[in-house]
Amino acid sequence: MSEGRTILLSAALAAVVAALTTTLILASHEVERSIRGLVVVKAHVAPPATETKPADSKTPAPPVAAEIGSDVRGAVAETRRAGSLYVFLVPDEAAQVEVTLRSDDGAVEFRAACGGEVPEKVSDWMWDSTDEDGVATLSLARHAQSDLRPGPLFVEVRPSDPAGPGDAKRSLEFTLRAEVTKLPAPRAIEAGRGVDAETSPESGHRADFVIDVPEGATALRIDVVEADRDVDLLASSDGPAIDDDAAEWTATSMLARESLVLDADSDPALPSGGKLRFAVIDPSLYEAPVKFRVVVSLGAEPPAEVLAIPQLPRPADPRELAVAVAAVVEVVVDDGSGSGTIVSESGLVLTAQHVIGDRLGGSGADDVITVAMDLDPTRITRELFRAKVVRQDDGLDLALLQITSGHYGQPLPAGYRFPACPVAFDGVPRLGDALVTIGFPEPGGTGSRSPVLFSKGVVSGFEREKSGLRIKTDAFVASGSSGGAALDERFRLVGVPVFTITETEGSAQMGFLVPVTELPRAWRELIAK
C-alpha cells in the first residue's frame, strides 16, 4: 500500500535582512534601492562572485543580493568548504519558483532555504538541487512546499565533488538564475455549468477560478469530476487560495474526483454573497498538463453530471484476459491505495487486509473505501464506487469487500452486474507454472496514482508460514500491487500479492502471494453465490 503522500517573514526579518544586505558591496553594476522598506544592494548581472564561506562555518559571509529573472554569474573554488551565497526576494504573488544552475563541467551544485536568516546547520537547509548534464534545477511550488514563502530565498552554490589534498584546485564558473511564476489570473465560472481546464508547469501546476456567490445562497458545491491524475482543491473567500495556509477550505485526498461542499455547517461557513476563489492543483508537480473537468453548483447535493454510473465491460468468454483486466480494481482509502479483484458479479472484491486497515464495521468518514475501475489502460482508474468490509483475516492478510453504492453514495442501478474474475479453487499452481500479475503499483508511474500494470513471471517457489502457504513469484509485485491479481495461464485468479522481498544490494525481488485455496470456507461460499 502507498504510504500516502509523501515534501516567514517574521517581525524580526526586516532587521535581519537589512543588517545583512546593507553591508553588500559589488565590484561593478552596484545599484541600491528599497524593497518592502529594506535597503538592499542589487546586481542585475553580477561579475564572478567573490568566494564566500559556507553557512556552516563560524563566520559566514553575507549573501550577495540577486535579481529574480536575471542571470548571476559567479565562480567558486574546488575546495571542501567553499561556497558562494546569494539571496533572492520572492514576491507575495509567487506561485512557483524555479532555480537553475548551469556550469560547463557540471561540477557545482546548490542548496536553498527560505527564512529570515542564513541557515547555520546543514540540516536547516530545506532543499537540494538535482543535477543532470551540467544543469542543476530546483522547482518549488507554494501549494506543494509548505516552507516556500514570500521573502528571502537563500541559495548557496558549492562544488559537488571538492578536490582532495594535493589535487589541483580549479575555479568553477557557473550561472545561477531564479524565475518566478506568478499566480495566474482566475477564470470566471458560473454555477450550474461545467468547464474543462488543465494545470501546467507554466501556470505553477494549478488552475484558478472565481465565482460570484449570490446573496442568500445556502450552499455551494465544487466537484472535480474528471482528471488525468490525482488533483486537490483549495478555496477561499478572502483572496486567492495560493496554498493550504491561505485556503479556508481544502479537499486533498489521493482521489482524482475531489469535492468541496460549503454551507452553514462547513468550517468556516459559506459567506452570503461576494466572490469565492478556488484552485485545482497538481500536488505531484507533473511535467505535463493535467486535464480535468470541474462543476460548480448551488446546493449541497451532487449534480446530475457526476452521478451517472457507466455500464462496465463484461466480456462473454471468461477465459479472456480482458475479463481479468476489467475485474482488477484500485482500492483507495484516506491514507493510501492498493489493488483488488472483483470475484463475483454482485460486487465482492478480494484484496489484502493491510490495504484497507481495520475498517470492519466502520461508518465514519475515515472508513470510506473507494473502488476505482480501469476503463482505459492508458489513464488512471476512475473512482466509481464505495465499498464496505464484510470479512477480514489478519493472519492471511486478506479482506473481502462488498461494493455498496456509487462514489457519491448514490444507489446502484437495478440489476447492476460487475465483471468478475474466475477463481481457481481447484488447486495450487505448480513450480514453474506461468503467472501474470495485474495491479496498480506505486513505482509504476510518476504520480501517486498510475494506470494498470501487467507483468509476467512464473511460480518461483513456496514458503510455509504460521498462517499457511505462500507462493513466491518473480512477476512484478511492489507497493500498491498488494491485493491485486495473480493469474494462471487460463487467466483465473490463483493468488493475491501481499508483500515483496528485495535484495539489499541488488535489484532482484521476490513477490509473495496468498493462494486462493487458503480462503476460509465461508468466504468461498460468499463468492460462489
Side-chain angles (χ1 to χ4, degrees):
M1 183 181 83
S2 275
E3 295 299 328
R5 302 174 285 181
T6 304
I7 284 206
L8 301 174
L9 194 57
S10 65
L13 170 60
V16 174
V17 175
L20 290 172
T21 55
T22 51
T23 60
L24 302 176
I25 300 177
L26 300 179
S28 62
H29 305 280
E30 186 175 2
V31 181
E32 185 173 302
R33 71 173 184 177
S34 175
I35 301 178
R36 293 186 189 169
L38 308 179
V39 178
V40 302
V41 178
K42 182 197 65 147
H44 288 288
V45 179
T50 303
E51 178 186 323
T52 63
K53 295 182 180 180
D56 305 75
S57 66
K58 295 181 180 180
T59 56
V64 174
E67 176 84 2
I68 292 282
S70 295
D71 286 345
V72 178
R73 297 184 179 90
V76 63
E78 196 177 22
T79 57
R80 187 174 66 87
R81 297 187 64 83
S84 293
L85 188 62
Y86 300 91
V87 59
F88 297 90
L89 192 63
V90 178
D92 287 337
E93 64 274 20
Q96 180 173 282
V97 177
E98 296 265 359
V99 184
T100 305
L101 177 68
R102 300 180 184 275
S103 61
D104 292 338
D105 52 13
V108 291
E109 62 186 14
F110 70 88
R111 55 186 179 178
C114 268
E117 58 185 19
V118 181
E120 294 183 357
K121 302 177 182 177
V122 171
S123 58
D124 292 337
W125 289 90
M126 298 169 183
W127 307 287
D128 288 302
S129 61
T130 57
D131 190 359
E132 184 176 351
D133 299 328
V135 180
T137 60
L138 185 64
S139 180
L140 305 172
R142 286 278 296 276
H143 66 261
Q145 279 85 23
S146 59
D147 292 322
L148 180 61
R149 288 291 182 268
L153 173 67
F154 298 102
V155 178
E156 184 190 58
V157 181
R158 53 187 183 169
S160 55
D161 188 18
D167 294 338
K169 311 294 194 296
R170 297 176 296 171
S171 179
L172 305 174
E173 296 185 356
F174 59 83
T175 301
L176 180 68
R177 186 181 182 93
E179 295 280 0
V180 163
T181 300
K182 294 185 178 182
L183 191 69
R187 175 179 175 179
I189 186 172
E190 298 178 10
R193 297 183 60 184
V195 298
D196 296 310
E198 65 181 27
T199 69
S200 71
E202 293 74 25
S203 66
H205 300 281
R206 61 189 295 136
D208 285 71
F209 302 88
V210 61
I211 182 170
D212 288 315
V213 181
E215 292 284 348
T218 58
L220 183 139
R221 183 183 178 106
I222 306 170
D223 288 283
V224 178
V225 297
E226 297 285 350
D228 288 340
R229 298 170 71 86
D230 164 29
V231 295
D232 292 337
L233 270 173
L234 306 178
S236 174
S237 61
D238 183 22
I242 195 166
D243 54 28
D244 284 352
D245 289 341
E248 296 174 275
W249 306 275
T250 63
T252 56
S253 71
M254 292 184 65
L255 301 179
R257 282 187 157 190
E258 292 285 9
S259 300
L260 272 177
V261 178
L262 313 181
D263 55 21
D265 296 326
S266 59
D267 185 18
L270 175 70
S272 179
K275 294 187 180 297
L276 185 137
R277 294 278 297 269
F278 71 91
V280 177
I281 62 173
D282 169 21
S284 67
L285 307 184
Y286 189 47
E287 294 181 358
V290 177
K291 296 181 179 180
F292 63 89
R293 182 170 177 80
V294 63
V295 179
V296 179
S297 49
L298 294 176
E301 296 301 316
E305 179 176 348
V306 309
L307 294 177
I309 298 178
Q311 288 296 325
L312 301 175
R314 297 177 63 235
D317 189 344
R319 296 169 298 180
E320 292 182 358
L321 173 61
V323 175
V325 172
V328 177
V329 301
E330 192 169 13
V331 178
V332 186
V333 292
D334 62 315
D335 56 355
S337 66
S339 305
T341 305
I342 300 176
V343 291
S344 75
E345 292 187 345
S346 63
L348 284 172
V349 178
L350 183 62
T351 185
Q353 195 274 335
H354 72 261
V355 168
I356 51 93
D358 187 12
R359 286 175 167 80
L360 184 61
S363 58
D366 291 343
D367 297 314
V368 172
I369 301 173
T370 297
V371 176
M373 307 296 296
D374 174 32
L375 303 183
D376 179 348
T378 68
R379 305 182 64 183
I380 67 169
T381 55
R382 186 178 179 191
E383 299 102 356
L384 291 179
F385 304 105
R386 289 184 181 179
K388 66 178 182 180
V389 182
V390 293
R391 296 284 190 279
Q392 69 180 31
D393 189 309
D394 292 344
L396 287 175
D397 193 12
L398 293 180
L400 197 59
L401 316 179
Q402 174 65 61
I403 295 175
T404 57
S405 70
H407 175 63
Y408 298 94
Q410 72 271 38
L412 299 175
Y416 196 81
R417 312 303 288 172
F418 293 89
C421 182
V423 184
F425 286 130
D426 54 350
V428 178
R430 299 170 301 178
L431 186 70
D433 281 356
L435 279 182
V436 166
T437 58
I438 305 176
F440 302 89
E442 182 179 345
T446 56
S448 60
R449 303 271 300 280
S450 302
V452 67
L453 189 68
F454 174 97
S455 176
K456 288 184 177 182
V458 297
V459 176
S460 304
F462 300 93
E463 186 86 12
R464 284 283 177 184
E465 297 186 352
K466 181 180 179 180
S467 57
L469 184 66
R470 298 292 182 267
I471 300 172
K472 298 178 183 179
T473 181
D474 60 345
F476 186 74
V477 175
S479 177
S481 297
S482 293
L487 312 173
D488 64 12
E489 290 179 306
R490 290 186 285 171
F491 305 120
R492 302 180 305 165
L493 185 69
V494 296
V496 178
V498 288
F499 66 90
T500 301
I501 293 179
T502 303
E503 286 185 6
T504 303
E505 298 181 358
S507 60
Q509 66 175 23
M510 186 66 62
F512 284 73
L513 320 171
V514 178
V516 294
T517 52
E518 297 289 304
L519 265 63
R521 181 180 297 275
W523 294 33
R524 297 192 198 187
E525 292 173 352
L526 277 177
I527 294 171
K529 284 184 180 180

